[in-house]
Amino acid sequence: MFYCDPPGHTGIDCLFNHGDINRIEFEYIFMHDQEPVDTEMYQSLFDEVKQRNNDLHNGVVENPDKNTVMGKTTKKHWVTLCKKTNGSVVVSEKGKFVDDLYEKYGWRSYYYFWHGWASLDWYRGYHRTFLIDRAAERKPSKTFLSPNRIIGGHRDHRVLFLYHVFKNNLQHNHISAPRTCPEEHTDITHIAYKYTNRYPDITSVLATDELPVMFAREDTQKMSSCWLDNFNLAADSMFYVPTETVYWGKRLHLTEKTFKPIALEMPFILVAPAHSLEYLRSYGFKTFGNVIDESYDDEEDDFTRLEKIAKLLTNIEGLSAKEKQQIYQHCIPAATYNYNHFYYGSFEQILWQELKVMLAQIKQDYV
């Protein structure tokens, strides 16, 4: 088994492998279950997994311990077995990017919802606190809450989302937005420049003096994946708008970001890959299509989907205070259902069943 430690680190110096020292295992599993699947971003890591496994077997072929490893197997047959070594990968994603792993590395894949388990662990116990009023007791004054931190790398969708926010004068809602990516130290206008063919004014819109925008008591956009926060802002917002880790392409990959509004008992609008709402519903959660226009989720053009999300938020923003409260009140039953589904065992049972099916398939394929 190959895995990265600490979790969330993907450099080759964080790659470890574990096996049985008393025998040679001809096949291997790479646990990539936390991270997105991207053969470009993680090429060096994926190549290292293949190389290390080859090195292990080449060492055995060149100098096998006949008493403990080869037994009665001839060296010629031993070499043949090593060459037939197959790998697989455990992922928390579905779609084209997983198919690309098979095409490039020959890895068959096994899926379970890692981020579902992580969210149940990280957000456990918050429903026993008094950090935020229940949904039915809130009277939000803002249309949405949307934290945004890393904008570099493959997270350009956050730059485009923030462009639409400022373009449509939605920035007075509860948002956080960096001017410079805290990880890559790149200015937002530099990232935005590549999109000027589609949005000619994008750099001028994002050159605003209003950036960076930070929440109270922040001197930079902080990492807060593994806990809930911003309770007052959440209580004052109709919708939570997570800008997910991945956005582009035909894939399904949701993280703890999507479960924050669920654990806060909030309605949500997802900036995520197409069909993510449908994916979430497959785990027993409800969305809000009976109240708001969720057709954005069916839009497979990534730019158009963001434009539809911006239009939806702008339309809600333009309603009267009374109309906004009516929408919020109609969303509460689904938000409360999701909260209970998350905190009182139903979601966990679905995850257990999924995990058992995955493990049974691994056992069938390998044992």
Side-chain angles (χ1 to χ4, degrees):
M1 181 175 72
F2 289 86
Y3 60 95
C4 287
D5 189 65
H9 292 249
T10 55
I12 60 176
D13 55 332
C14 297
L15 179 67
F16 297 88
N17 58 283
H18 173 77
D20 188 339
I21 62 173
N22 295 313
R23 63 176 181 168
I24 295 299
E25 298 162 325
F26 288 97
E27 297 182 299
Y28 63 94
I29 296 177
F30 172 38
M31 304 296 293
H32 191 66
D33 43 0
Q34 178 180 2
E35 298 301 317
V37 175
D38 191 320
T39 56
E40 179 183 344
M41 180 182 295
Y42 299 120
Q43 179 177 342
S44 60
L45 176 64
F46 297 158
D47 289 347
E48 184 73 9
V49 171
K50 292 281 285 190
Q51 186 59 52
R52 288 194 193 181
N53 192 70
N54 291 340
D55 289 346
L56 286 170
H57 286 147
N58 288 339
V60 171
V61 169
E62 293 169 4
N63 187 27
D65 182 342
K66 295 182 180 180
N67 294 323
T68 62
V69 177
M70 286 180 61
K72 296 181 181 180
T73 303
T74 66
K75 185 170 183 178
K76 181 178 180 181
H77 182 53
W78 183 254
V79 173
T80 301
L81 288 172
C82 287
K83 288 181 177 179
K84 289 184 177 179
T85 297
N86 293 313
S88 60
V89 59
V90 173
V91 296
S92 188
E93 179 171 327
K94 298 179 180 181
K96 181 183 181 302
F97 288 69
V98 178
D99 297 338
D100 290 345
L101 272 184
Y102 179 79
E103 291 296 324
K104 187 168 184 177
Y105 295 95
W107 292 339
R108 59 178 177 260
S109 62
Y110 301 96
Y111 165 89
Y112 79 109
F113 201 171
W114 187 95
H115 295 91
W117 286 109
S119 299
L120 285 174
D121 178 32
W122 292 343
Y123 307 151
R124 68 186 185 275
Y126 281 92
H127 63 308
R128 305 293 187 191
T129 70
F130 301 93
L131 293 166
I132 187 170
D133 289 337
R134 294 297 303 271
E137 299 168 357
R138 305 171 200 164
K139 296 195 181 301
S141 68
K142 300 293 186 181
T143 299
F144 66 95
L145 162 67
S146 182
N148 298 274
R149 192 173 76 94
I150 300 176
I151 55 174
H154 289 204
R155 294 170 172 83
D156 293 6
H157 58 286
R158 293 178 182 160
V159 174
L160 294 175
F161 172 71
L162 292 171
Y163 161 70
H164 289 300
V165 166
F166 282 91
K167 175 77 172 179
N168 291 284
N169 296 312
L170 299 172
Q171 64 270 27
H172 61 275
N173 286 282
H174 295 308
I175 66 167
S176 66
R179 167 160 293 286
T180 303
C181 178
E183 295 293 328
E184 297 188 359
H185 310 294
T186 305
D187 189 89
I188 192 171
T189 57
H190 178 76
I191 300 169
Y193 182 77
K194 69 183 76 170
Y195 298 105
T196 51
N197 285 341
R198 186 178 182 99
Y199 306 111
D201 62 343
I202 188 170
T203 55
S204 60
V205 168
L206 291 176
T208 173
D209 291 338
E210 294 184 55
L211 290 174
V213 180
M214 288 169 285
F215 295 138
R217 297 183 298 280
E218 285 186 349
D219 55 7
T220 185
Q221 284 75 28
K222 64 181 181 180
M223 191 287 294
S224 59
S225 297
C226 53
W227 63 83
L228 300 180
D229 55 3
N230 297 317
F231 299 105
N232 292 335
L233 303 184
D236 190 42
S237 302
M238 294 174 62
F239 291 92
Y240 195 116
V241 183
T243 51
E244 264 292 356
T245 299
V246 300
Y247 178 81
W248 308 98
K250 296 181 179 180
R251 65 200 305 183
L252 294 172
H253 179 98
L254 295 177
T255 71
E256 80 290 334
K257 297 173 184 64
T258 290
F259 288 101
K260 283 198 169 187
I262 289 172
L264 290 166
E265 200 178 1
M266 293 181 67
F268 49 82
I269 296 168
L270 297 187
V271 178
H275 311 298
S276 290
L277 293 181
E278 179 183 352
Y279 174 52
L280 195 59
R281 288 192 294 267
S282 73
Y283 285 91
F285 293 100
K286 293 183 178 181
T287 60
F288 307 91
N290 63 324
V291 184
I292 62 172
D293 181 6
E294 289 186 336
S295 62
Y296 70 87
D297 190 56
D298 299 322
E299 178 56 64
E300 295 187 351
D301 182 275
D302 296 324
F303 291 100
T304 305
R305 188 167 63 260
L306 261 176
E307 291 164 6
K308 287 186 173 183
I309 291 170
K311 182 179 179 181
L312 173 60
L313 292 171
T314 303
N315 288 344
I316 297 172
E317 181 77 14
L319 297 175
S320 67
K322 181 179 180 180
E323 290 170 322
K324 287 182 179 180
Q325 287 301 320
Q326 289 174 337
I327 287 178
Y328 177 71
Q329 291 298 321
H330 286 131
C331 287
I332 288 176
T336 300
Y337 173 88
N338 291 338
Y339 178 87
N340 291 331
H341 184 62
F342 180 83
Y343 274 120
Y344 292 100
S346 301
F347 178 46
E348 183 178 0
Q349 288 303 311
I350 293 172
L351 293 180
W352 270 120
Q353 183 59 31
E354 175 183 79
L355 185 61
K356 288 191 291 184
V357 169
M358 185 197 77
L359 293 173
Q361 186 63 54
I362 292 176
K363 181 176 181 181
Q364 177 179 317
D365 291 344
Y366 279 98
V367 176

